[in-house]
């Protein structure tokens, strides 16, 4: 087996690593200071626009886009080590225009959007001029099962009329968020997989009420995770994405098998926490010796290194299988890494926090926010249990007698 990357990826990696060192890490404190000084969680710190301009000038832009017409044209296996590096900082993904939920939205606009929809919404997203959100999850139903979604999209002449309540629509509270992809029921009489559609709703459409931006473990992110009420919201029928009844299929394309960007980034997060832990334990002495010389701490370091390496290799294998045999054939590996990566990141960050002592739970070292981010990944990218269900069903199918 050859684990090396192509010359193209090596070049991008070197460029990206240098960009992270010279620009991204030094901007973390500046971003937080600018945000705090504004006193408004929806304020967009100007340092982010400086980072975006620098990344774009270096060719580090839209790396996630596999289609060369829109982005870097990298395979999953090529993108994985780059996404890992961006995950090392909370600023990395947006600086490179590779942040969720825009990435998934850009992908489905590229795949299902009409030329007019692409011109109006995809292009400014690709240029990093606006942001977008994705509204599927509803407070009233168990939304890990997308067939449960209840909001309605009713045809009325040349318009659709939308009613319902969503929550956890990430990013919607930002003034830069201009377009939403909304999932709801258009064909109530159809089977569970063909009842729903997706429509594009500009955020300033009358009847869209962004009620609140939910904090995550007390952290208020720019754009928030919003609860939104939809009351008789009217959009032209041209705003449908794909065909009526294709909502579930598009949701699978967007969220389901094949999107392992979160996993790639989680490995980067784990690696950064690991490095912080190693430096910290070498710099502090307790009970007569460096923390790094305590057996228990050496055990954490070894365990962390083993787990990160395992997770990275499984991520790369899943990405490589997606490129070579396709998402369907890679389904077990994809579901497996969606469980493994956030849990490994969580374990490593938790032990880094412990190694830092009280400092670990403050915001001074970024570990507490990292912990919150990794913990939400065990739900946000589909709960662990749903990925395990997919694996178990496939595994059991191999043992069911034929005929
Ligand atoms: C930070 C964050 C950002 C998010 N951003 C967005 C967004 O931008 N847009 C959007 O639409 N949604 C978003 N979500 C919502 C996310 O997609 C849902 O929370 C997720 O799909 C789970 O749905 P639910 O919360 O309704 O949980 P439920 O469906 O109610 O499930 C609750 C729990 O039930 C258990 N469970 C479910 N199925 C099974 C099973 N088969 N076997 C065993 N146990 C099971 C799991 O433990 C699961 O956690 C975000 C969530 C978070 C935390």
């Amino acid at each position: 087996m050859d684990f090396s990357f192509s010359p193209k990826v090596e070049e991008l990696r070197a460029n990206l690593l240098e960009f992270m060192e010279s620009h991204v890490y030094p901007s973390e404190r500046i971003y937080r200071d600018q945000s705090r000084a504004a006193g408004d969680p929806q304020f967009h710190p100007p340092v982010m626009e400086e980072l975006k301009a620098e990344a774009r000038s270096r060719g580090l832009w839209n790396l996630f886009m596999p289609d060369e017409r829109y982005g870097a044209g990298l395979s999953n296996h090529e993108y994985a080590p780059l996404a890992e590096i961006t995950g090392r900082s909370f600023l990395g993904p947006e600086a490179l225009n590779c942040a969720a939920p825009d990435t998934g939205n850009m992908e489905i606009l590229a795949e299902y959007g009409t030329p007019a929809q692409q011109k109006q919404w995809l292009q400014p997203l690709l240029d990093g001029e606006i942001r977008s959100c994705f509204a599927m999850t509803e407070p009233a139903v168990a939304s890990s099962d997308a067939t449960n979604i209840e909001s309605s999209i009713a045809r009325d002449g040349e318009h659709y009329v939308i009613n319902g309540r969503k929550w956890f629509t990430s990013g919607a509270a930002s003034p830069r968020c201009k377009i939403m992809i909304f999932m709801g029921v258009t064909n109530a009489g159809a089977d569970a997989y063909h009842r729903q559609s997706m429509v594009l709703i500009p955020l300033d459409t009358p009847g869209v009420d962004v009620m609140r931006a939910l904090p995550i473990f007390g952290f208020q992110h720019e754009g928030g995770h919003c609860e939104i009420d939809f009351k008789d919201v009217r959009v032209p029928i041209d705003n449908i994405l794909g065909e009526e009844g294709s909502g579930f299929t598009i949701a699978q394309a967007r969220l389901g098998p094949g999107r392992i960007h979160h996993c790639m980034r989680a490995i980067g997060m784990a690696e950064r926490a690991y490095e912080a832990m190693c430096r910290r334990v070498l710099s502090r002495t307790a009970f007569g010796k460096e923390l790094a010389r305590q057996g228990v701490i050496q055990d954490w370091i070894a365990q962390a290194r083993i787990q990160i390496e395992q997770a990275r290799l499984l991520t790369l294998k899943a990405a490589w299988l997606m490129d070579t045999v396709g998402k369907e054939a890679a389904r077990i590996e994809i579901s497996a890494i969606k469980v493994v990566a956030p849990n490994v990141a969580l374990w490593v960050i938790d032990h880094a926090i412990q190694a830092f002592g009280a400092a670990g739970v403050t915001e001074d070292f970024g570990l507490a926010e990292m912990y919150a981010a990794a913990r939400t990944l065990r739900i946000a990218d589909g709960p662990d249990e749903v990925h395990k269900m997919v694996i178990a069903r496939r595994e059991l199918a191999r043992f069911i007698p034929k005929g």
Side-chain angles (χ1 to χ4, degrees), residues 100-101 133-145 148-149 166-171 181 216 221 224-226 254-255 372-373 375-390 393:
C133 59
F134 181 73
M136 185 180 80
T137 304
E138 299 179 358
V141 296
S143 303
S144 52
D145 177 355
N148 282 340
I149 297 307
K166 298 286 183 183
W167 78 341
F168 278 91
T169 303
S170 300
I181 298 180
I216 297 299
H221 297 139
H225 304 281
C226 301
R254 188 185 180 285
L255 301 165
R375 183 63 186 86
T376 63
L377 283 187
R378 291 191 51 211
I379 299 167
D381 197 24
D384 286 357
E385 294 74 18
V386 174
H387 302 311
K388 288 180 184 169
M389 175 185 75
V390 170
R393 280 182 181 165

Side-chain angles (χ1 to χ4, degrees), residues 156-217:
D156 180 24
E158 292 304 297
H159 288 84
Y160 286 114
V161 181
I162 293 130
N163 282 286
R165 176 72 63 89
K166 298 286 183 183
W167 78 341
F168 278 91
T169 303
S170 300
S174 165
R176 294 184 304 136
C177 183
K178 301 295 182 195
I179 188 69
M180 169 193 300
I181 298 180
F182 178 99
M183 178 142 150
V185 178
T186 41
N187 305 54
D191 69 80
Y193 301 102
H194 297 91
R195 298 170 72 230
Q196 315 196 25
S197 302
M198 288 198 192
V199 289
L200 296 170
I201 306 180
L203 265 285
D204 58 2
T205 311
V208 176
D209 178 12
V210 179
M211 301 165 66
R212 58 179 180 145
L214 292 145
I216 297 299
F217 287 107

